[in-house]
Amino acid sequence: MRFHVVGLGSIGTLLAFHLRRGLDPKHVIHLVHKTNGLAETARLEGGHIGVEYNGVYLSETGFKHEGFEPASRIYRDTVRQGRAIRSAKASGEEKLGIAQMPEILQSTQIESLFVTTKAHAVYHVIEGLLPRLSPRCTIVLGVNGMGVYEGLVSTFFRNPETRPHFILMSNTHGAWLKRPGRAIHSGLGTMQFGIVPDPRGRDFEASMHSGGLLSLPHSRRCNLNDIALPNNDPHGTEYVSLRNTITAFLSMKDLHTEWLPMSELQLAMRRKLVANAVINPLTALMNCRNGELFRTEESIRILRRVCKEAERVFSVDIRSQPRGFETPEDPAPQGDPVPPSLQSAGLIRNCLNVAKQTAHNFSSMLLDIQHGRQTEIDYINGYLVKLGSHHRVKMGTTSMLASLIKMRGTVPSRPLL
């Protein structure tokens, strides 16, 4: 099995390290660097990945390194030939399988892809790798914010029958990059993931719900019986990558990986989204650590307003969604479909807890501002604002924070005279 990791920042490095530790050496892990030059540098320096936690440094080797160069010959050729193949298949003129694809395309096919880039970079990455992706591969989206999956589907994978398998991931581990290939694991958290519903209607979560198993701690580490094996299912080969990717996820035990029903993962992602919508822009604007927020009544007032706006828009959104992908399964009493964790009081508690647990951390948005990089504000506050616009819910404070970050990003960081 071949695994590819693209986005070698702090979380990508942390994930690649634990993926290598958890998997048998026979499985190949490719690290996809931004350029061929960076990949070559990594090879010359030994090709290892290191993680430091509580002053203890560990490293892993055995990676393959490649550069992300969509403008190079291999990408130009595979894009052109891949498009021709898809066009022929769509028109019914030819029925081509992977074995009939150009040799250059076969040799670079991706089976399992972990994407841990910035949210706004995902589209560029998927577009560049598109010729190497097939309906049988699995894509793991481990990015901040929300709305990336929906954007990818509407842009590149409109046909459900030819869409790769998708896994969404929510990470709460704290980490920062000391240098390329070396991450500091600054805070333990969890790495939760869920499988996007299958277009064929296969219920991957059946064993998690049957017999009340959902209430048991071990139920979150299922034996994957509901994901087909090639020997007993005519479509089994189409799910091998998905099954192996989940097995790889669960092998990273030190990251506290956990398979959740999609409805529960959506809850976790929304809680994290709101915490990021408050903490990230405020720390970026105030140039402070996470723990230095919420010491004044003014900051608490902003926190309350964002959480109240989020509660309102989630309430309308949840009521408008069909059961399944978007609907939480732990509703509040009296039939309220909005669970306590997504009501303003629960969101406020979560934000305060995150700020306390990551008190010594600098938010990724602050670091992006300091280094003149594009922020992920469009997929955090911007996602909430768009949701509010769609449901006609006013998001004044959330929108103002987004506008201030965009303004701040246009002003160079420099010492005052």
Side-chain angles (χ1 to χ4, degrees):
M1 181 75 179
R2 295 190 303 275
F3 297 89
H4 286 72
V5 180
V6 59
L8 299 174
S10 56
I11 299 304
T13 299
L14 186 67
L15 187 146
F17 170 83
H18 285 279
L19 193 62
R20 183 68 286 169
R21 295 196 83 185
L23 292 179
D24 189 287
K26 69 181 180 182
H27 299 293
V28 183
I29 300 176
H30 298 255
L31 304 183
V32 184
H33 299 261
K34 288 183 179 179
T35 66
N36 286 331
L38 290 173
E40 182 61 24
T41 298
R43 284 191 289 267
L44 292 174
E45 293 180 351
H48 61 273
I49 287 287
V51 169
E52 182 178 326
Y53 183 71
N54 284 343
V56 178
Y57 175 74
L58 299 171
S59 66
E60 286 290 333
T61 58
F63 300 96
K64 290 186 178 294
H65 298 265
E66 62 179 82
F68 178 78
E69 298 282 3
S72 65
R73 179 185 61 81
I74 183 170
Y75 283 93
R76 286 200 308 271
D77 290 347
T78 53
V79 166
R80 175 176 55 79
Q81 296 174 23
R83 284 175 178 167
I85 289 170
R86 286 194 295 274
S87 176
K89 292 174 73 174
S91 65
E93 295 174 4
E94 288 188 69
K95 291 186 178 180
L96 297 175
I98 292 178
Q100 295 168 282
M101 289 184 179
E103 184 177 347
I104 193 171
L105 193 59
Q106 292 183 53
S107 63
T108 60
Q109 281 288 293
I110 290 174
E111 295 176 291
S112 180
L113 177 67
F114 289 80
V115 182
T116 53
T117 64
K118 295 291 187 180
H120 51 77
V122 175
Y123 302 94
H124 174 64
V125 167
I126 295 300
E127 183 177 33
L129 298 178
L130 200 57
R132 304 172 62 182
L133 304 174
S134 75
R136 294 182 179 182
C137 78
T138 301
I139 300 175
V140 179
L141 295 178
V143 297
N144 278 332
M146 294 181 69
V148 174
Y149 165 76
E150 292 82 358
L152 289 178
V153 167
S154 64
T155 304
F156 301 114
F157 307 111
R158 295 184 181 181
N159 184 354
E161 294 300 318
T162 58
R163 186 179 301 160
H165 306 293
F166 273 94
I167 292 175
L168 305 185
M169 182 184 91
S170 178
N171 169 70
T172 61
H173 289 279
W176 55 278
L177 203 62
K178 189 171 187 178
R179 60 178 178 82
R182 182 162 181 169
I184 307 300
H185 193 175
S186 55
L188 280 175
T190 60
M191 196 169 277
Q192 299 172 318
F193 65 96
I195 311 171
V196 173
D198 183 52
R200 292 189 177 88
R202 192 183 301 272
D203 187 1
F204 299 131
E205 300 169 0
S207 65
M208 302 183 79
H209 298 289
S210 60
L213 289 178
L214 205 55
S215 62
L216 302 176
H218 72 270
S219 69
R220 305 309 175 92
R221 294 187 179 275
C222 298
N223 57 16
L224 313 186
N225 285 337
D226 298 303
I227 300 179
L229 288 170
N231 294 334
N232 58 14
D233 191 317
H235 300 290
T237 56
E238 300 172 23
Y239 295 92
V240 170
S241 168
L242 178 61
R243 184 183 181 90
N244 288 340
T245 301
I246 293 173
T247 302
F249 244 124
L250 297 179
S251 75
M252 298 186 286
K253 297 181 180 179
D254 289 341
L255 290 182
H256 300 163
T257 51
E258 186 178 33
W259 174 13
L260 296 182
M262 182 53 67
S263 55
E264 289 191 36
L265 184 70
Q266 289 286 310
L267 283 177
M269 293 177 69
R270 290 180 180 188
R271 287 194 297 268
K272 180 181 176 181
L273 179 76
V274 176
N276 285 343
V278 179
I279 295 172
N280 283 17
L282 284 181
T283 53
L285 292 169
M286 302 306 296
N287 193 30
C288 67
R289 296 176 188 268
N290 295 357
E292 294 172 321
L293 293 176
F294 311 130
R295 294 181 178 179
T296 66
E297 180 57 34
E298 289 76 16
S299 61
I300 295 296
R301 189 179 301 121
I302 294 173
L303 166 63
R304 287 172 178 162
R305 287 178 177 174
V306 172
C307 290
K308 191 62 179 178
E309 291 172 0
E311 177 192 9
R312 289 172 183 156
V313 77
F314 287 155
S315 177
V316 178
D317 188 54
I318 289 172
R319 286 184 173 92
S320 69
Q321 295 288 345
R323 288 197 61 81
F325 185 38
E326 290 285 344
T327 306
E329 298 207 353
D330 58 340
Q334 289 85 44
D336 187 344
V338 182
S341 60
L342 292 187
Q343 295 178 8
S344 59
L347 293 171
I348 290 170
R349 283 194 300 271
N350 183 59
C351 286
L352 293 174
N353 286 338
V354 171
K356 182 178 180 180
Q357 293 167 3
T358 61
H360 299 292
N361 291 6
F362 293 106
S363 73
S364 59
M365 193 169 290
L366 170 57
L367 297 177
D368 287 339
I369 290 291
Q370 289 179 338
H371 291 89
R373 299 188 295 251
Q374 183 178 351
T375 72
E376 296 174 297
I377 195 71
D378 286 336
Y379 297 91
I380 302 174
N381 295 61
Y383 177 85
L384 288 170
V385 171
K386 287 180 181 178
L387 202 59
S389 177
H390 177 72
H391 293 298
R392 298 182 180 180
V393 176
K394 293 182 179 180
M395 308 291 289
T397 305
T398 307
S399 178
M400 179 61 74
L401 288 175
S403 297
L404 289 172
I405 286 297
K406 291 192 174 185
M407 289 174 60
R408 184 66 188 86
T410 65
V411 181
S413 295
R414 56 175 177 263
L416 296 176
L417 297 178

